[in-house]
Amino acid sequence: MRIKRLYTEPHTIDPIEFHEGVNIIVGERDETSVKNNGVGKSMCIEFLNFALLKKKSESRVSKIPPQSFKPDTFICVDFELHGIDYTIKRSVVDAEHPRVISDGKAIDFSKLDDATRFLTERMFPTTHLVGVGFREMLGPLIRDERSEFKSIVACYDTKVRVPDNYAPHLMLLGIDLMIYRKIREILKELDAIGVEEKRIRENVQLIREKGIDDARSDLNELNEEVERIRRGIDALENAPAYDVIKDELIEIEDQTDELRFRKAALLKRLAGLNPIATEATIDADEIRSFYNQLRDGLGDRISRDLNEVLAFKAKIELFQKHLLTEKSQVIEEELRVLSRQLADLDRRQAKLIKILDQDGDLRNLKKTYAAFQTKSDELGQLKGLLDRYDRLAVDKQEKRLEKETERLKLQGSITGASERLKSFEQTILWIHQFIQGNRKASFEVRTTSAKNVVDIIMRIDDDGSHSVEREKVFIYDIALLLNDFSKARHPGLLVHDNIFDVDDDTLKRSLEFVFTKSVFDDDQQYILTLNTDRLGRLNDEPWHDDLEGNIVASFTKSHRFLKTNYQEII
């Protein structure tokens, strides 16, 4: 795969022409500023990545303010894949519907996944490489600056929680990818089993207020209760007189429930039939004496009026009491009737039950059936949960055994690839010898019981620091591109955005290796971004002219990639 051109439609950025081999995008100082960061080098790589179908939600392109870059502008990339020319055109506003042009034919995809699948089939036309997607492969080949180059496997923005994916690395190293995929699926199934087990434990705790182990003893007790009620019902239903009196018993119970409800309502009404007022206790003589002291004769008149009011009030209260008494008598009579009816029903029920239940266990036919149904439901629910929990335990054990079996197969594939892995390690040692001056490095692939399934372990001299970890990623990526075994599976494209944030000597030796020792094939391409202030001490190097000759784009504060200054949308 070789990138040929990056541009926009309509014209917004200056088109960038790429060629085979090394392509350098630099940030330079100019008369307006001594700084060369923030000029657009990383955004240039982000445009390239977006055009190559990176998800919009993960792309910084979507964070450019619309006034700085119109969302309907097409970001376009021309590239060659297995000798066939392709063009992808994609806009921010319609990111899910890219257009792919090949052999003069344009295809407008209705979904991003369809376009990715289309290019996957074009990138890996041979059956032995099926299993790695187009974007999945480009992840570790186009390393974003925001990945911070902390790991040879973790190649995405550190703020985006993307699980480590070893698939493209295993494919490039010639290790059976299908086994790795199968183990990952088994791990997902184990996770699902764990989630369901937790849900069952929570449900059992809710039903029985006990842990799942203690609930097992409850199951036996509950089963005995259900069986005891069942035996009573079976004995009842087998009684000769059962069919004759069953309907009558149920009818009596229905009538009893209805009468008891009516009686409770009447008692509540009766309790509320109290007088709304009590007789006033006012001493007219005291009021007369008080107001006569204020004014002669005033107390007599007020006392006379008050006596008239009290007399009228007494008549009203007497009438009210008469009404309440009459209502109370009516309700009390109805209650007496209800009580007689209930007593009669109780006697009828007792006679019928006596016929069926000689031991005296059966007291209420409806309640017996209801209790049986409730206990049966509870038993069925608890038994179902415990049975499912036990089934999950068996499934989990089987999945773990299957995982270990597949893990042994994967280890066998790694062992079978030992010659290729040894060759790859020798390539790493060769690069390490040139850059670090020694062969204190190692490379190993091994299986692990952890969720990542495999570990790719690479050590270099004094690794662990920020600078050395970046150099480790550089050595690993370049080795994949140059090693005789891995390059046969490699798409041939490698992009590093600002990877050389390292000490000056390591920068010098790394670039010297790229321009003097790396022999890229005609269909291979290495694109990297650099700041020219790091290159000042390299002017006298014999390979410096090669470096200058491979610069394909240069940006400054006054000549930015997007030709405007902006703040990304948060």
PDB file of all heavy atoms in Angstrom, residues 117 180 230 283 323 366 442 446 517 550:
ATOM      1  N   ARG A 117     -15.004  -3.097   5.004  1.00  0.00           N
ATOM      2  CA  ARG A 117     -15.003  -4.499   4.568  1.00  0.00           C
ATOM      3  C   ARG A 117     -14.525  -4.610   3.110  1.00  0.00           C
ATOM      4  O   ARG A 117     -13.778  -5.533   2.762  1.00  0.00           O
ATOM      5  CB  ARG A 117     -16.412  -5.072   4.719  1.00  0.00           C
ATOM      6  CG  ARG A 117     -16.473  -6.583   4.616  1.00  0.00           C
ATOM      7  CD  ARG A 117     -17.883  -7.097   4.888  1.00  0.00           C
ATOM      8  NE  ARG A 117     -18.346  -6.719   6.218  1.00  0.00           N
ATOM      9  CZ  ARG A 117     -19.285  -5.810   6.452  1.00  0.00           C
ATOM     10  NH1 ARG A 117     -19.888  -5.188   5.443  1.00  0.00           N
ATOM     11  NH2 ARG A 117     -19.651  -5.519   7.686  1.00  0.00           N
ATOM     12  N   TYR A 180      -6.005 -17.230  18.060  1.00  0.00           N
ATOM     13  CA  TYR A 180      -6.085 -16.034  18.911  1.00  0.00           C
ATOM     14  C   TYR A 180      -7.510 -15.494  18.950  1.00  0.00           C
ATOM     15  O   TYR A 180      -8.037 -15.185  20.030  1.00  0.00           O
ATOM     16  CB  TYR A 180      -5.136 -14.969  18.374  1.00  0.00           C
ATOM     17  CG  TYR A 180      -5.310 -13.600  18.990  1.00  0.00           C
ATOM     18  CD1 TYR A 180      -4.818 -13.314  20.260  1.00  0.00           C
ATOM     19  CD2 TYR A 180      -5.974 -12.585  18.300  1.00  0.00           C
ATOM     20  CE1 TYR A 180      -4.985 -12.052  20.827  1.00  0.00           C
ATOM     21  CE2 TYR A 180      -6.140 -11.331  18.856  1.00  0.00           C
ATOM     22  CZ  TYR A 180      -5.629 -11.061  20.113  1.00  0.00           C
ATOM     23  OH  TYR A 180      -5.801  -9.819  20.662  1.00  0.00           O
ATOM     24  N   ARG A 230     -49.381 -30.322  48.488  1.00  0.00           N
ATOM     25  CA  ARG A 230     -49.834 -31.112  47.337  1.00  0.00           C
ATOM     26  C   ARG A 230     -50.528 -32.411  47.801  1.00  0.00           C
ATOM     27  O   ARG A 230     -51.546 -32.802  47.265  1.00  0.00           O
ATOM     28  CB  ARG A 230     -48.650 -31.458  46.428  1.00  0.00           C
ATOM     29  CG  ARG A 230     -49.071 -32.115  45.099  1.00  0.00           C
ATOM     30  CD  ARG A 230     -47.897 -32.804  44.440  1.00  0.00           C
ATOM     31  NE  ARG A 230     -46.781 -31.901  44.242  1.00  0.00           N
ATOM     32  CZ  ARG A 230     -46.675 -31.066  43.196  1.00  0.00           C
ATOM     33  NH1 ARG A 230     -47.624 -31.035  42.290  1.00  0.00           N
ATOM     34  NH2 ARG A 230     -45.624 -30.282  43.086  1.00  0.00           N
ATOM     35  N   ASP A 283     -72.655  30.643  80.407  1.00  0.00           N
ATOM     36  CA  ASP A 283     -73.390  31.176  81.575  1.00  0.00           C
ATOM     37  C   ASP A 283     -73.956  32.548  81.216  1.00  0.00           C
ATOM     38  O   ASP A 283     -73.228  33.540  81.164  1.00  0.00           O
ATOM     39  CB  ASP A 283     -72.451  31.276  82.782  1.00  0.00           C
ATOM     40  CG  ASP A 283     -73.222  31.528  84.075  1.00  0.00           C
ATOM     41  OD1 ASP A 283     -74.301  32.108  83.996  1.00  0.00           O
ATOM     42  OD2 ASP A 283     -72.692  31.140  85.149  1.00  0.00           O
ATOM     43  N   LEU A 323     -81.396  12.429  63.345  1.00  0.00           N
ATOM     44  CA  LEU A 323     -81.002  11.861  62.041  1.00  0.00           C
ATOM     45  C   LEU A 323     -79.876  10.839  62.204  1.00  0.00           C
ATOM     46  O   LEU A 323     -79.900   9.759  61.594  1.00  0.00           O
ATOM     47  CB  LEU A 323     -80.551  12.983  61.093  1.00  0.00           C
ATOM     48  CG  LEU A 323     -81.638  13.944  60.616  1.00  0.00           C
ATOM     49  CD1 LEU A 323     -81.013  15.028  59.749  1.00  0.00           C
ATOM     50  CD2 LEU A 323     -82.727  13.214  59.828  1.00  0.00           C
ATOM     51  N   LYS A 366     -59.910 -22.052  49.081  1.00  0.00           N
ATOM     52  CA  LYS A 366     -59.246 -21.053  48.210  1.00  0.00           C
ATOM     53  C   LYS A 366     -57.847 -20.732  48.705  1.00  0.00           C
ATOM     54  O   LYS A 366     -56.894 -20.616  47.937  1.00  0.00           O
ATOM     55  CB  LYS A 366     -60.079 -19.785  48.136  1.00  0.00           C
ATOM     56  CG  LYS A 366     -61.324 -19.910  47.276  1.00  0.00           C
ATOM     57  CD  LYS A 366     -62.163 -18.664  47.334  1.00  0.00           C
ATOM     58  CE  LYS A 366     -61.398 -17.463  46.817  1.00  0.00           C
ATOM     59  NZ  LYS A 366     -62.215 -16.242  46.838  1.00  0.00           N
ATOM     60  N   SER A 442      16.063  -7.902  23.180  1.00  0.00           N
ATOM     61  CA  SER A 442      15.466  -9.232  23.015  1.00  0.00           C
ATOM     62  C   SER A 442      14.027  -9.071  22.553  1.00  0.00           C
ATOM     63  O   SER A 442      13.404  -8.019  22.725  1.00  0.00           O
ATOM     64  CB  SER A 442      15.509 -10.018  24.333  1.00  0.00           C
ATOM     65  OG  SER A 442      14.723  -9.373  25.332  1.00  0.00           O
ATOM     66  N   ARG A 446       4.772 -14.916  23.721  1.00  0.00           N
ATOM     67  CA  ARG A 446       4.357 -16.056  24.529  1.00  0.00           C
ATOM     68  C   ARG A 446       2.901 -15.908  24.924  1.00  0.00           C
ATOM     69  O   ARG A 446       2.368 -14.795  24.965  1.00  0.00           O
ATOM     70  CB  ARG A 446       5.236 -16.206  25.769  1.00  0.00           C
ATOM     71  CG  ARG A 446       5.157 -15.049  26.736  1.00  0.00           C
ATOM     72  CD  ARG A 446       6.197 -15.202  27.829  1.00  0.00           C
ATOM     73  NE  ARG A 446       6.143 -14.104  28.781  1.00  0.00           N
ATOM     74  CZ  ARG A 446       7.142 -13.766  29.582  1.00  0.00           C
ATOM     75  NH1 ARG A 446       8.281 -14.431  29.525  1.00  0.00           N
ATOM     76  NH2 ARG A 446       7.022 -12.770  30.439  1.00  0.00           N
ATOM     77  N   LYS A 517      20.839   2.810   6.068  1.00  0.00           N
ATOM     78  CA  LYS A 517      20.791   1.363   6.243  1.00  0.00           C
ATOM     79  C   LYS A 517      19.474   0.739   5.784  1.00  0.00           C
ATOM     80  O   LYS A 517      19.457  -0.427   5.389  1.00  0.00           O
ATOM     81  CB  LYS A 517      21.016   1.008   7.725  1.00  0.00           C
ATOM     82  CG  LYS A 517      22.388   1.424   8.248  1.00  0.00           C
ATOM     83  CD  LYS A 517      23.499   0.685   7.513  1.00  0.00           C
ATOM     84  CE  LYS A 517      24.867   1.067   8.056  1.00  0.00           C
ATOM     85  NZ  LYS A 517      25.962   0.352   7.336  1.00  0.00           N
ATOM     86  N   ASN A 550      13.721  14.561   0.798  1.00  0.00           N
ATOM     87  CA  ASN A 550      12.516  13.768   1.018  1.00  0.00           C
ATOM     88  C   ASN A 550      11.430  14.522   1.779  1.00  0.00           C
ATOM     89  O   ASN A 550      10.449  13.906   2.196  1.00  0.00           O
ATOM     90  CB  ASN A 550      12.873  12.475   1.761  1.00  0.00           C
ATOM     91  CG  ASN A 550      13.536  11.447   0.858  1.00  0.00           C
ATOM     92  OD1 ASN A 550      12.877  10.809   0.053  1.00  0.00           O
ATOM     93  ND2 ASN A 550      14.846  11.308   0.986  1.00  0.00           N
TER      94      ASN A 550
END
